[in-house]
Amino acid sequence: MLRVLTLATLFPDTTRPNFGVFVERQTLGLAALDDVAVRVVAPIGLPPFPLSLHPSYRPLARLPLHEDWKGLSVGRPHFVNLPATHGRFHAGALVRCLTPHLDALRKTFRFDVIDAEFFFPDGPAAVALGRRYGVPVSIKARGADIHHWGHAPATAAQVRVAGRDADGLLAVSQSMAADIAAAGIDRPVRVHRTGIDRSRFGTVDRTDAKARLGVAGPLVMSLGALIARKGHRIVLEAVAALPGVTLWIVGGGPDQAALAGRIAELGVGDRIRLCGALPHDSLPDVLAAADVMALASSSEGLANAWVEALASGTPIVIPDAGAAREVVTCPAAGRIVARDAAAFAQGIAAVLSQPSDPAATRATVDAYSWERNALELRDHLTALVAQKG
C-alpha cells in the first residue's frame, strides 16, 4: 500500500468551491486506487492581525481544522500569511505550521511520500518536511507557481532550490516543463496532464444546452478568474465587434467592475454578460451551449478550461501561451491567434463560419483522462519511494 500525503494550498473548501477543483479531482482519482491511501493537508494562510482589519479572511478562519471532504480526510491548519511581503516568508511559515500537525498524523498514518501540488509555497515546504520525515518529495508545476513565483525577486531562489532538491518533478504540459528549465531548474521533469470527467463533459447536446439556457444564435464563452492575466477585456472587445454574437464571461474577481464599465461604454449589454463564478457542476451545460470558448490569457500552464471545452465539443480561440500548441493541433480544436481584440475577433469569426463536427473536436483531447492521470501519479510516486529505498 502506497501512503501519500498530498500537500495543497490550492484546494477547494466551502467558501471557495472552485478553488483548485482540478487538484481535488486528481486527488480523488489517486485515492480511489486500491493500492493507495491518501491524506490531504490544505493549509489556510491567515494574517497575524485581528480579522476585523481583514474581513475577507473571516470565512477562511471559520473553516474546520479537519474535515471529511468528498471522502478525503483533509486537514486545514493555519499558517501566518504576512501581507505585503510578496510571499517571502510563506514557505517557512508553512513548515512551522505543518510540523506539529504532521508529527501527530505520523502516529496513525506513516506516509511514504509527500506530493506537493503547487510549486510555491508548497514545494519548498514539502522539501523541508521530506527531510524531517525521511520521505521523498514530488512537486508539480501548474502555471503561475512558476511563471510568477519562480521569477519574483522575493521567491525565485526558494523555487529554484526546491526544484533542485525535490526527488521528482511534474508539470502539466511539455511547455510547462520548459518553463521550469527557464526558471533555472535544469533537471528532468515528467509531464503529467490533467484529466477530463467524461461522464459530464461531452455528454450534452449543443442544441439542447442552448435551449435550456435560453441562448439563441452564436455564443462565445470566456471562462476564468476576472483578473488582467486572463484577458477577458480582449475577448469582450473582440465580440463587441462581431454583430449578432453573444458573449458570456464566467468567473469572479477584482476586474468585474472594470469589465462592467467597458460593456456599458461599448453599449453591448444586450449581448455581453458577466455571469459571475458558476459551480463547476454547471460548466458541462454552459460549455456545451457555447460555439466557441475564447480565453486571452497572457500565461497558462495547461488551462483546464481549454480541455474541458474541447471535451464538450467546443473549439477554443487562445493566444500562443503555455501549452496552446499542445492542445490546438488541428482546425477542429480551434485557432491560436495574437493577443489583441482584432485577432481574437478574426479567430472567433473563422470558427463560427466553419463549424467543426463536435465529435472531431472531442477527439482532440482523447488522451486526457482522470483514470490515466491517477495511474501515472501512482507510478511516479511509487518510483520515488523505491529510489529512496
Coordinates of all heavy atoms in Angstrom, one line a residue, residues 15 58 123 141 175 188 261 373:
T15 N -16.0 27.8 1.3 CA -16.0 29.2 0.9 C -15.6 29.4 -0.5 O -15.8 30.5 -1.1 CB -15.2 30.1 1.9 OG1 -13.8 29.8 1.6 CG2 -15.5 29.8 3.3
R58 N -12.2 36.2 7.2 CA -13.1 35.6 8.2 C -13.7 34.3 7.8 O -13.7 33.3 8.6 CB -14.2 36.6 8.6 CG -13.7 37.8 9.4 CD -14.9 38.8 9.7 NE -14.4 40.0 10.4 CZ -15.1 41.1 10.5 NH1 -16.3 41.2 9.9 NH2 -14.6 42.1 11.2
G123 N 6.1 23.6 -2.5 CA 7.3 22.9 -2.9 C 8.4 23.1 -1.9 O 8.9 22.1 -1.3
A141 N 4.3 21.5 -11.1 CA 4.1 22.8 -11.6 C 2.9 22.9 -12.5 O 2.6 22.1 -13.3 CB 5.4 23.2 -12.4
S175 N 5.3 22.4 -22.4 CA 5.7 23.8 -22.3 C 6.0 24.2 -20.9 O 6.9 25.0 -20.6 CB 4.7 24.7 -23.0 OG 3.5 24.7 -22.2
P188 N 15.4 16.6 -15.2 CA 14.3 16.0 -15.9 C 12.9 16.3 -15.2 O 12.9 16.4 -13.9 CB 14.6 14.5 -15.8 CG 16.1 14.5 -15.6 CD 16.4 15.7 -14.8
G261 N -17.9 48.2 -16.7 CA -17.8 49.6 -17.2 C -17.6 49.6 -18.7 O -18.1 50.4 -19.4
N373 N -4.5 9.8 -15.5 CA -3.8 10.7 -14.6 C -3.5 10.1 -13.2 O -2.4 10.2 -12.7 CB -4.7 11.9 -14.4 CG -4.2 12.9 -13.3 OD1 -4.4 12.7 -12.1 ND2 -3.7 14.1 -13.8

